Each structure stands twice: as structure tokens, then as C-alpha cells.
């Protein structure tokens, strides 16, 4: 195999907010870098629901002290897309879009990064791929039917129809409320006895009241057992129920690509949480020269890391890389 013609101090896999933060810090430290993103700029954010409102304020979503001006107390998806796009374009971030990484190999003190288009060589690699790519499947009959979706975009699609929403997190609650307000008939299937405790505090009274008054139906301590063409089978404390319906939204969360990490030799905890092994002071994993940044650090606990508390990962990583380069 020929030596790749592209060599960098660091390759950043993932072009989301944290990947961009890593690029900005690399420039400060005069480190050569390249971001490789499998989709569009801030791809995961782009695929969030159209009307999504962030939990964080705009100040906590800022990168590199670049002001994020929002018209709302909590910024919306469209504002965030504009903010991160302007950062990328005005700073001329070095990023290849729609170039998925298929493999990372460690060869002595270098790393060979293979994508669907090319190969690159880097002294270091940062994994900032997030967690939004792989849904948590229930693995039940009918989950692959056309009426089933694991991602939600716009409520208009479900207007006047019967929609089952599985889950009780922020995404499930937002979808249920929006679809109800567009004239959809919504039934929530909630595995526990109440709506999730981490639901946005300004939204929780809304969903609780809509359920209480009966405008949104909710089955608690219930699980979806089977999906059929025109109905679903639900296991409840009172026994099985059959509900006629048109669509099923399986908003049961998402997880990082653990196989991608393991194939690089990164160790994961064996306690079910699959937390990757890394040094909290530098973010370097057990594989020399491979670093983690962002939500991927939390394993299955995807609620632990957000933009606001993982921006610092970029500084820790690039500080360590700069020290290594000077040594």
C-alpha cells in the first residue's frame, strides 16, 4: 500500500459543534488538521426535528467565545445551524463533507484513516462522532414496517392520523405535543410510571396537563410488543391491548457506534454502560494518539455530555497535542 499523500498533525472525525471546536483549537496551536464528516456540516443537528428548541441557552452553545445571538431565550435548530455554519465558513474550517470514515489503523506512531473517497495519515485522531446515528431498537415483530420511524422531523406529516409515540424523553414529548397541536391523535407508550424526569422543565407541565385532560393518551408501565399493518399490540398491567393506528414513532434514544471504537482497539467498560477508556486530563484513549471528544465519552449514558459541558474537550486535546509536538 502506498503512503497516503495527505499527512496531518490531527484528523478530527465528526463535523458537529465539538468537531468544529477541536478545529478552532488546532488552529490556535498551529496544528495541521482535517475534519472528516460523513454527512453535511453539523450533520446530527441538521437531522434534529424542525422545531427543536435547545435545553441550553445560546451562551452555553458558543464556541471560541464567538457570540451566539438568538431571538429566543432558548435557541432553535435553525438558529444553531446558522451559527455553526457561519463559524465554519468565516474561519475557513478545513473540512471534507460527505466523506465517511470506514477504518482507522494505528501503524507505529501514525494513524491511517480510510474513507469512502481516500486515505489520510495523521499523527493523532480525534473521535467526535456523537451518538445520533444508531437508534435503540426494540427488536420486536413489525419494527421494520414502513409505518415505523426512529426519527421525527415535522408534525404536519402526522396531521389527522393516529400516531403511537414510544418513549418519554424530550424527543418523544416534543413530538407528542407538536403532533397533537397539528390535529393528530397521539398515544404515548411509556415503559415507566411517569414521563421522563429529564424532560425540559418548561415542557413538562404542558405534557402532564395534556395527558391529564385526555387530549394526549398515555399508557404507563407499558411496552410495545408487536407492530402490525393497521394496529399495534401493547403489553400493559391490565393485559394486552390492541390499538388501531397509522404511524409509530420509536423515540427510544440513540447510541454511539461502539463497533467503530472497538475496531480501533479502544476499550469499553463491561458494566453495560460501554464507557470508553480515556484519560480525563487529556482525553486520550488507551490507544496512543487516539482521542475522544463530546458525547461519545459517555458510552450508553448519552445524557451526560452536551455541547455546553464538552466544549472543554477541544482545549484539553489540542493542548496535549501541542506539548507532544514540541517534545
Amino acid at each position: 500500500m502506498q503512503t497516503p499523500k495527505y499527512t496531518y498533525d490531527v484528523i478530527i472525525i465528526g463535523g458537529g459543534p465539538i468537531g468544529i471546536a477541536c478545529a478552532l483549537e488546532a488552529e490556535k496551536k498551529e496544528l495541521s488538521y482535517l475534519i472528516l464528516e460523513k454527512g453535511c456540516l453539523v450533520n446530527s443537528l441538521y437531522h434534529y426535528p424542525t422545531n427543536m428548541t435547545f435545553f441550553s441557552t445560546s451562551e452555553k452553545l458558543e464556541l471560541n467565545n464567538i457570540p451566539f445571538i438568538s431571538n429566543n431565550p432558548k435557541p432553535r435548530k435553525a438558529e444553531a445551524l446558522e451559527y455553526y455554519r457561519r463559524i465554519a465558513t468565516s474561519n475557513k474550517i478545513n473540512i471534507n463533507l460527505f466523506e465517511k470514515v470506514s477504518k482507522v489503523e494505528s501503524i507505529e506512531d501514525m494513524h491511517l484513516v480510510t474513507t469512502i473517497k481516500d486515505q489520510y495519515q495523521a499523527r493523532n485522531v480525534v473521535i467526535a462522532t456523537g451518538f445520533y446515528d444508531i437508534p435503540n431498537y426494540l427488536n420486536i415483530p413489525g419494527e421494520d414496517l414502513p409505518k415505523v420511524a426512529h426519527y421525527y422531523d415535522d408534525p404536519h406529516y402526522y396531521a389527522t392520523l393516529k400516531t403511537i409515540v414510544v418513549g418519554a424523553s424530550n424527543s418523544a414529548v416534543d413530538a407528542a405535543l407538536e403532533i397533537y397541536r397539528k390535529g393528530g391523535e397521539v398515544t404515548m407508550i411509556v415503559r415507566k410510571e411517569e414521563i421522563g424526569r429529564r424532560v425540559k422543565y418548561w415542557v413538562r407541565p404542558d405534557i402532564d396537563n395534556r395527558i391529564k385532560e385526555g387530549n394526549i393518551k398515555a399508557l404507563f408501565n407499558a411496552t410495545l410488543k408487536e407492530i402490525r399493518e393497521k394496529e399495534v399490540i401493547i403489553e400493559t398491567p391490565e393485559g394486552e391491548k390492541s390499538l388501531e393506528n397509522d404511524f409509530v414513532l420509536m423515540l427510544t434514544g440513540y447510541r454511539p457506534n461502539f463497533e467503530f471504537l472497538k475496531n480501533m482497539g479502544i476499550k469499553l467498560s463491561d458494566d453495560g454502560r460501554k464507557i470508553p477508556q480515556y484519560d480525563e486530563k487529556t482525553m486520550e484513549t488507551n490507544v496512543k494518539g487516539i482521542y475522544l471528544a463530546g458525547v461519545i465519552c459517555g458510552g450508553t449514558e448519552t445524557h451526560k455530555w452536551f455541547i455546553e459541558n464538552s466544549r472543554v474537550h477541544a482545549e484539553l486535546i489540542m493542548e496535549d497535542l501541542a506539548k507532544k509536538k514540541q517534545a
Side-chain angles (χ1 to χ4, degrees), residues 137-150:
Y137 294 101
L138 295 186
N139 297 313
I140 60 174
E143 194 168 3
D144 58 348
L145 288 173
K147 68 188 276 187
V148 179
H150 290 87

Side-chain angles (χ1 to χ4, degrees), residues 9 24 32 50 70 74 86 95 133 143 156 162 165 177 191 199-200 205 209 215 221 230-231 244 253 297 324 326:
D9 288 323
L24 295 173
S32 61
T50 298
S70 171
K74 310 283 185 177
R86 290 296 299 273
I95 183 169
D133 293 329
E143 194 168 3
H156 174 81
K162 295 180 174 67
V165 176
L177 288 169
R191 183 166 51 91
V199 167
K200 290 171 281 194
N209 288 332
N215 285 322
N221 297 309
K230 296 182 179 180
E231 63 180 341
E244 179 184 345
C297 298
K324 284 183 177 180
Q326 293 171 359

Side-chain angles (χ1 to χ4, degrees), residues 53-56 74 174 199-207:
T53 300
F54 280 86
F55 190 94
S56 304
K74 310 283 185 177
D174 286 345
V199 167
K200 290 171 281 194
Y201 65 85
W202 66 91
V203 174
R204 189 182 184 96
D206 191 1
I207 188 65

Side-chain angles (χ1 to χ4, degrees), residues 60-79:
K60 293 183 178 181
L61 300 175
E62 292 177 352
L63 302 181
N64 205 33
N65 294 317
I66 300 171
F68 182 172
I69 307 301
S70 171
N71 294 322
N72 307 289
K74 310 283 185 177
R76 302 181 72 117
K77 169 186 169 179
E79 293 176 305

